[in-house]
Amino acid sequence: MKLRNIADQDADLLLEWMHEKESAPFFEDNGRRWSSEDVALFIKNCEDTAAALYRTIAADTDECMGIAGLQNIDRNRNSAELVLSVREAAMRKGYAWFALVEMLDMAFKQLNLESVYWHIHNDDDRSRRFYDKHGFHQMVDVPEEISAFPDNKNLRWYSVLSSDDYGNRLKKRDKVAGCKVIRIKTITTLDAGELSFFEGTHDIDFEIKRIYFISKVPEGVRRGFHAHKQLKQLLFCPYGKIQLVLENRNGREEITLEDPSVGVVIDQPTWREMLWMEKDSVLCVAASDYYSEDDYIRDYEEFKKYVDDLKI
Ligand code: T46
């Protein structure tokens, strides 16, 4: 699959696709479906400008599978609006994901933008599932000048920042050494950062009795080297980059925490080591119980025996 310039040869497929059941409502122009003349005009006007660029999402055979674009490119805000739609024939084949990552690369790496946003219709369950599954953050408080254009107010907005690890979202892991990797709910405000939150027993399955955080750790330093017998914890890194090495009866695995909206729930006896990969990284922990030294196993051999005994 590839992205290429939109060409006259795409007209027939574009027209066919604009009348497909799922995409048709989104190509209506005041209730009027696009005609072949509209499509021809669209293709003719598709040349790159400072404010917009559009590409055909093409199969290896060159067949048009959909359209992706960046529009409302705003050099003051350093933002752009993403538009992306694929034909029914391209669904569930990876075209949408491919085009999304390519367009974001173009926005951040070539155009040096800071943020990209887009909307879907609230009743477009398929798109909603797609973006939510890949952990994209919903944007609230959408500025009037951005939200004013689509007449339809029944929209759901998303956004990505240039610093987000968007390309790896597909490779998103849901477990590390059998411990759940969770997405912390995150709300974006355009040009004003993100807010992440979780609620005890709603988003994690224990009551939170204690919050602690570890800061001012020099780069390259390791902490941890212990396990807990009963304590359950959610670990996350709101700033910086920390490698977490976990070992339990599921084996030994590591994960790098660097996205503030990713957390790991350790809810079984697990040996942990934390490596500060960047200076000033912060590790935050929400714990199910008050501090008790009795719950710690700080000797590795003792931990191994403890886990072996649990198996019996
Ligand atoms: C864990 C990892 C991720 C307290 O007095 N109260 C507390 O709530 C905590 C967490 C620690 N302390 C004392 C115990 C030690 O004297 O603070 C000192 C440093 O603790 P520790 O060496 O255990 O720190 P880390 O970074 O190795 O481990 C901490 C947590 O202790 C542990 O539960 O899972 O972070």
PDB file of all heavy atoms in Angstrom, residues 210 212 214 223-224 226 228 233 235 272 274 283 285 291 296 298, ligand 1:
ATOM      1  N   ARG A 210      -3.289   4.877  48.722  1.00  0.00           N
ATOM      2  CA  ARG A 210      -2.024   5.632  48.829  1.00  0.00           C
ATOM      3  C   ARG A 210      -1.534   5.993  47.427  1.00  0.00           C
ATOM      4  O   ARG A 210      -1.671   5.195  46.492  1.00  0.00           O
ATOM      5  CB  ARG A 210      -0.988   4.742  49.531  1.00  0.00           C
ATOM      6  CG  ARG A 210       0.383   5.349  49.713  1.00  0.00           C
ATOM      7  CD  ARG A 210       1.192   4.479  50.685  1.00  0.00           C
ATOM      8  NE  ARG A 210       1.181   3.091  50.273  1.00  0.00           N
ATOM      9  CZ  ARG A 210       2.240   2.407  49.846  1.00  0.00           C
ATOM     10  NH1 ARG A 210       3.421   2.992  49.784  1.00  0.00           N
ATOM     11  NH2 ARG A 210       2.137   1.151  49.485  1.00  0.00           N
ATOM     12  N   TYR A 212       2.035   7.598  45.711  1.00  0.00           N
ATOM     13  CA  TYR A 212       3.387   8.116  45.914  1.00  0.00           C
ATOM     14  C   TYR A 212       4.066   8.297  44.560  1.00  0.00           C
ATOM     15  O   TYR A 212       3.595   7.756  43.552  1.00  0.00           O
ATOM     16  CB  TYR A 212       4.225   7.227  46.842  1.00  0.00           C
ATOM     17  CG  TYR A 212       4.482   5.821  46.351  1.00  0.00           C
ATOM     18  CD1 TYR A 212       5.588   5.526  45.557  1.00  0.00           C
ATOM     19  CD2 TYR A 212       3.629   4.787  46.686  1.00  0.00           C
ATOM     20  CE1 TYR A 212       5.849   4.234  45.131  1.00  0.00           C
ATOM     21  CE2 TYR A 212       3.866   3.486  46.256  1.00  0.00           C
ATOM     22  CZ  TYR A 212       4.974   3.223  45.481  1.00  0.00           C
ATOM     23  OH  TYR A 212       5.202   1.944  45.053  1.00  0.00           O
ATOM     24  N   ILE A 214       8.089   9.042  42.598  1.00  0.00           N
ATOM     25  CA  ILE A 214       9.546   9.021  42.753  1.00  0.00           C
ATOM     26  C   ILE A 214      10.124   9.993  41.726  1.00  0.00           C
ATOM     27  O   ILE A 214       9.858   9.871  40.529  1.00  0.00           O
ATOM     28  CB  ILE A 214      10.087   7.592  42.546  1.00  0.00           C
ATOM     29  CG1 ILE A 214       9.387   6.637  43.534  1.00  0.00           C
ATOM     30  CG2 ILE A 214      11.593   7.549  42.739  1.00  0.00           C
ATOM     31  CD1 ILE A 214       9.641   5.166  43.266  1.00  0.00           C
ATOM     32  N   ARG A 223      16.128   1.397  40.663  1.00  0.00           N
ATOM     33  CA  ARG A 223      15.491   1.273  41.983  1.00  0.00           C
ATOM     34  C   ARG A 223      14.643   0.006  41.978  1.00  0.00           C
ATOM     35  O   ARG A 223      14.567  -0.704  40.985  1.00  0.00           O
ATOM     36  CB  ARG A 223      14.618   2.490  42.282  1.00  0.00           C
ATOM     37  CG  ARG A 223      15.364   3.800  42.324  1.00  0.00           C
ATOM     38  CD  ARG A 223      14.423   4.933  42.716  1.00  0.00           C
ATOM     39  NE  ARG A 223      13.800   4.718  44.018  1.00  0.00           N
ATOM     40  CZ  ARG A 223      13.947   5.502  45.066  1.00  0.00           C
ATOM     41  NH1 ARG A 223      14.716   6.579  44.978  1.00  0.00           N
ATOM     42  NH2 ARG A 223      13.317   5.238  46.196  1.00  0.00           N
ATOM     43  N   GLY A 224      13.984  -0.232  43.077  1.00  0.00           N
ATOM     44  CA  GLY A 224      13.120  -1.397  43.174  1.00  0.00           C
ATOM     45  C   GLY A 224      13.855  -2.568  43.789  1.00  0.00           C
ATOM     46  O   GLY A 224      14.302  -2.489  44.931  1.00  0.00           O
ATOM     47  N   HIS A 226      12.575  -5.595  44.528  1.00  0.00           N
ATOM     48  CA  HIS A 226      11.739  -6.210  45.568  1.00  0.00           C
ATOM     49  C   HIS A 226      10.411  -6.630  44.942  1.00  0.00           C
ATOM     50  O   HIS A 226      10.117  -6.278  43.794  1.00  0.00           O
ATOM     51  CB  HIS A 226      11.504  -5.240  46.732  1.00  0.00           C
ATOM     52  CG  HIS A 226      10.846  -3.965  46.315  1.00  0.00           C
ATOM     53  ND1 HIS A 226      11.517  -2.771  46.250  1.00  0.00           N
ATOM     54  CD2 HIS A 226       9.589  -3.697  45.910  1.00  0.00           C
ATOM     55  CE1 HIS A 226      10.698  -1.831  45.841  1.00  0.00           C
ATOM     56  NE2 HIS A 226       9.527  -2.370  45.619  1.00  0.00           N
ATOM     57  N   HIS A 228       6.045  -7.460  46.182  1.00  0.00           N
ATOM     58  CA  HIS A 228       5.045  -7.309  47.251  1.00  0.00           C
ATOM     59  C   HIS A 228       4.241  -8.588  47.350  1.00  0.00           C
ATOM     60  O   HIS A 228       4.004  -9.264  46.351  1.00  0.00           O
ATOM     61  CB  HIS A 228       4.109  -6.142  46.931  1.00  0.00           C
ATOM     62  CG  HIS A 228       4.729  -4.811  47.204  1.00  0.00           C
ATOM     63  ND1 HIS A 228       4.866  -4.301  48.464  1.00  0.00           N
ATOM     64  CD2 HIS A 228       5.284  -3.907  46.363  1.00  0.00           C
ATOM     65  CE1 HIS A 228       5.465  -3.127  48.404  1.00  0.00           C
ATOM     66  NE2 HIS A 228       5.739  -2.866  47.135  1.00  0.00           N
ATOM     67  N   GLN A 233      -0.799  -2.386  42.669  1.00  0.00           N
ATOM     68  CA  GLN A 233      -0.389  -1.028  42.333  1.00  0.00           C
ATOM     69  C   GLN A 233      -0.583  -0.740  40.847  1.00  0.00           C
ATOM     70  O   GLN A 233      -0.437  -1.631  40.011  1.00  0.00           O
ATOM     71  CB  GLN A 233       1.097  -0.832  42.655  1.00  0.00           C
ATOM     72  CG  GLN A 233       1.469  -1.125  44.093  1.00  0.00           C
ATOM     73  CD  GLN A 233       2.851  -0.594  44.438  1.00  0.00           C
ATOM     74  OE1 GLN A 233       2.982   0.398  45.124  1.00  0.00           O
ATOM     75  NE2 GLN A 233       3.864  -1.236  43.928  1.00  0.00           N
ATOM     76  N   LEU A 235       1.289   1.584  38.136  1.00  0.00           N
ATOM     77  CA  LEU A 235       2.496   2.385  37.928  1.00  0.00           C
ATOM     78  C   LEU A 235       2.380   3.128  36.603  1.00  0.00           C
ATOM     79  O   LEU A 235       1.975   2.541  35.598  1.00  0.00           O
ATOM     80  CB  LEU A 235       3.743   1.494  37.864  1.00  0.00           C
ATOM     81  CG  LEU A 235       4.349   0.985  39.177  1.00  0.00           C
ATOM     82  CD1 LEU A 235       3.427   0.049  39.892  1.00  0.00           C
ATOM     83  CD2 LEU A 235       5.686   0.308  38.916  1.00  0.00           C
ATOM     84  N   ARG A 272      10.251  -6.402  40.849  1.00  0.00           N
ATOM     85  CA  ARG A 272      10.300  -5.240  39.951  1.00  0.00           C
ATOM     86  C   ARG A 272      11.618  -4.493  40.060  1.00  0.00           C
ATOM     87  O   ARG A 272      12.186  -4.389  41.150  1.00  0.00           O
ATOM     88  CB  ARG A 272       9.145  -4.281  40.248  1.00  0.00           C
ATOM     89  CG  ARG A 272       9.349  -3.463  41.482  1.00  0.00           C
ATOM     90  CD  ARG A 272       8.114  -3.311  42.326  1.00  0.00           C
ATOM     91  NE  ARG A 272       7.369  -4.531  42.494  1.00  0.00           N
ATOM     92  CZ  ARG A 272       6.066  -4.551  42.785  1.00  0.00           C
ATOM     93  NH1 ARG A 272       5.408  -3.449  42.932  1.00  0.00           N
ATOM     94  NH2 ARG A 272       5.438  -5.688  42.949  1.00  0.00           N
ATOM     95  N   MET A 274      13.270  -0.818  38.354  1.00  0.00           N
ATOM     96  CA  MET A 274      12.947   0.347  37.528  1.00  0.00           C
ATOM     97  C   MET A 274      14.256   1.049  37.155  1.00  0.00           C
ATOM     98  O   MET A 274      15.060   1.350  38.028  1.00  0.00           O
ATOM     99  CB  MET A 274      12.076   1.349  38.297  1.00  0.00           C
ATOM    100  CG  MET A 274      10.759   0.779  38.805  1.00  0.00           C
ATOM    101  SD  MET A 274      10.882   0.068  40.461  1.00  0.00           S
ATOM    102  CE  MET A 274      10.973   1.500  41.505  1.00  0.00           C
ATOM    103  N   LEU A 283       8.131   8.627  38.352  1.00  0.00           N
ATOM    104  CA  LEU A 283       7.308   7.415  38.428  1.00  0.00           C
ATOM    105  C   LEU A 283       6.216   7.650  39.457  1.00  0.00           C
ATOM    106  O   LEU A 283       6.499   8.008  40.601  1.00  0.00           O
ATOM    107  CB  LEU A 283       8.160   6.199  38.848  1.00  0.00           C
ATOM    108  CG  LEU A 283       7.382   4.875  38.893  1.00  0.00           C
ATOM    109  CD1 LEU A 283       6.977   4.431  37.480  1.00  0.00           C
ATOM    110  CD2 LEU A 283       8.205   3.775  39.557  1.00  0.00           C
ATOM    111  N   VAL A 285       2.736   6.143  41.442  1.00  0.00           N
ATOM    112  CA  VAL A 285       2.127   4.865  41.805  1.00  0.00           C
ATOM    113  C   VAL A 285       0.856   5.092  42.623  1.00  0.00           C
ATOM    114  O   VAL A 285       0.848   5.881  43.569  1.00  0.00           O
ATOM    115  CB  VAL A 285       3.119   3.998  42.627  1.00  0.00           C
ATOM    116  CG1 VAL A 285       2.506   2.639  42.943  1.00  0.00           C
ATOM    117  CG2 VAL A 285       4.436   3.819  41.865  1.00  0.00           C
ATOM    118  N   TYR A 291       1.363   2.039  53.428  1.00  0.00           N
ATOM    119  CA  TYR A 291       2.736   1.531  53.413  1.00  0.00           C
ATOM    120  C   TYR A 291       2.938   0.533  54.551  1.00  0.00           C
ATOM    121  O   TYR A 291       2.588   0.803  55.702  1.00  0.00           O
ATOM    122  CB  TYR A 291       3.723   2.696  53.555  1.00  0.00           C
ATOM    123  CG  TYR A 291       5.137   2.229  53.761  1.00  0.00           C
ATOM    124  CD1 TYR A 291       5.843   1.632  52.715  1.00  0.00           C
ATOM    125  CD2 TYR A 291       5.755   2.353  54.999  1.00  0.00           C
ATOM    126  CE1 TYR A 291       7.128   1.184  52.899  1.00  0.00           C
ATOM    127  CE2 TYR A 291       7.049   1.910  55.190  1.00  0.00           C
ATOM    128  CZ  TYR A 291       7.731   1.319  54.138  1.00  0.00           C
ATOM    129  OH  TYR A 291       9.004   0.861  54.321  1.00  0.00           O
ATOM    130  N   TYR A 296       6.764  -6.307  51.897  1.00  0.00           N
ATOM    131  CA  TYR A 296       7.874  -6.346  50.922  1.00  0.00           C
ATOM    132  C   TYR A 296       8.655  -7.663  51.029  1.00  0.00           C
ATOM    133  O   TYR A 296       8.845  -8.192  52.115  1.00  0.00           O
ATOM    134  CB  TYR A 296       8.886  -5.225  51.197  1.00  0.00           C
ATOM    135  CG  TYR A 296       8.456  -3.839  50.750  1.00  0.00           C
ATOM    136  CD1 TYR A 296       7.481  -3.135  51.447  1.00  0.00           C
ATOM    137  CD2 TYR A 296       9.058  -3.231  49.658  1.00  0.00           C
ATOM    138  CE1 TYR A 296       7.117  -1.853  51.066  1.00  0.00           C
ATOM    139  CE2 TYR A 296       8.702  -1.937  49.264  1.00  0.00           C
ATOM    140  CZ  TYR A 296       7.730  -1.261  49.978  1.00  0.00           C
ATOM    141  OH  TYR A 296       7.377   0.009  49.585  1.00  0.00           O
ATOM    142  N   ARG A 298      12.372  -8.318  49.880  1.00  0.00           N
ATOM    143  CA  ARG A 298      13.490  -7.553  49.304  1.00  0.00           C
ATOM    144  C   ARG A 298      14.674  -8.458  48.936  1.00  0.00           C
ATOM    145  O   ARG A 298      15.695  -7.962  48.477  1.00  0.00           O
ATOM    146  CB  ARG A 298      13.930  -6.434  50.256  1.00  0.00           C
ATOM    147  CG  ARG A 298      12.873  -5.317  50.398  1.00  0.00           C
ATOM    148  CD  ARG A 298      13.422  -4.109  51.101  1.00  0.00           C
ATOM    149  NE  ARG A 298      12.417  -3.061  51.314  1.00  0.00           N
ATOM    150  CZ  ARG A 298      12.178  -2.050  50.469  1.00  0.00           C
ATOM    151  NH1 ARG A 298      12.859  -1.948  49.362  1.00  0.00           N
ATOM    152  NH2 ARG A 298      11.261  -1.150  50.750  1.00  0.00           N
TER     153      ARG A 298
HETATM  154  C1  T46 B   1       7.351  -0.162  44.521  1.00  0.00           C
HETATM  155  C2  T46 B   1       8.189   0.670  43.613  1.00  0.00           C
HETATM  156  C3  T46 B   1       7.562   0.865  42.283  1.00  0.00           C
HETATM  157  C4  T46 B   1       7.613   4.927  52.786  1.00  0.00           C
HETATM  158  O1  T46 B   1       7.920   5.289  53.943  1.00  0.00           O
HETATM  159  N1  T46 B   1       6.335   5.049  52.376  1.00  0.00           N
HETATM  160  C5  T46 B   1       5.954   4.677  51.133  1.00  0.00           C
HETATM  161  O2  T46 B   1       4.763   4.798  50.783  1.00  0.00           O
HETATM  162  C6  T46 B   1       6.945   4.118  50.245  1.00  0.00           C
HETATM  163  C7  T46 B   1       6.537   3.674  48.865  1.00  0.00           C
HETATM  164  C8  T46 B   1       8.229   4.004  50.686  1.00  0.00           C
HETATM  165  N2  T46 B   1       8.549   4.416  51.932  1.00  0.00           N
HETATM  166  C9  T46 B   1       9.945   4.305  52.344  1.00  0.00           C
HETATM  167  C10 T46 B   1      10.541   2.913  52.381  1.00  0.00           C
HETATM  168  C11 T46 B   1      12.007   3.173  52.150  1.00  0.00           C
HETATM  169  O3  T46 B   1      12.622   3.471  53.369  1.00  0.00           O
HETATM  170  O4  T46 B   1      10.727   5.034  51.405  1.00  0.00           O
HETATM  171  C12 T46 B   1      12.009   4.434  51.271  1.00  0.00           C
HETATM  172  C13 T46 B   1      12.337   4.141  49.812  1.00  0.00           C
HETATM  173  O5  T46 B   1      11.485   3.071  49.369  1.00  0.00           O
HETATM  174  P1  T46 B   1      12.007   1.922  48.367  1.00  0.00           P
HETATM  175  O6  T46 B   1      13.440   1.722  48.532  1.00  0.00           O
HETATM  176  O7  T46 B   1      11.109   0.739  48.559  1.00  0.00           O
HETATM  177  O8  T46 B   1      11.735   2.623  46.962  1.00  0.00           O
HETATM  178  P2  T46 B   1      11.723   1.912  45.531  1.00  0.00           P
HETATM  179  O9  T46 B   1      11.764   2.992  44.546  1.00  0.00           O
HETATM  180  O10 T46 B   1      12.744   0.860  45.417  1.00  0.00           O
HETATM  181  O11 T46 B   1      10.283   1.175  45.484  1.00  0.00           O
HETATM  182  C14 T46 B   1       9.093   1.932  45.481  1.00  0.00           C
HETATM  183  C15 T46 B   1       8.055   1.312  46.421  1.00  0.00           C
HETATM  184  O12 T46 B   1       8.620   1.190  47.722  1.00  0.00           O
HETATM  185  C16 T46 B   1       7.580  -0.048  45.976  1.00  0.00           C
HETATM  186  O13 T46 B   1       6.414  -0.396  46.692  1.00  0.00           O
HETATM  187  O14 T46 B   1       6.610  -1.023  44.070  1.00  0.00           O
HETATM  188  O15 T46 B   1       8.537   1.935  44.171  1.00  0.00           O
END
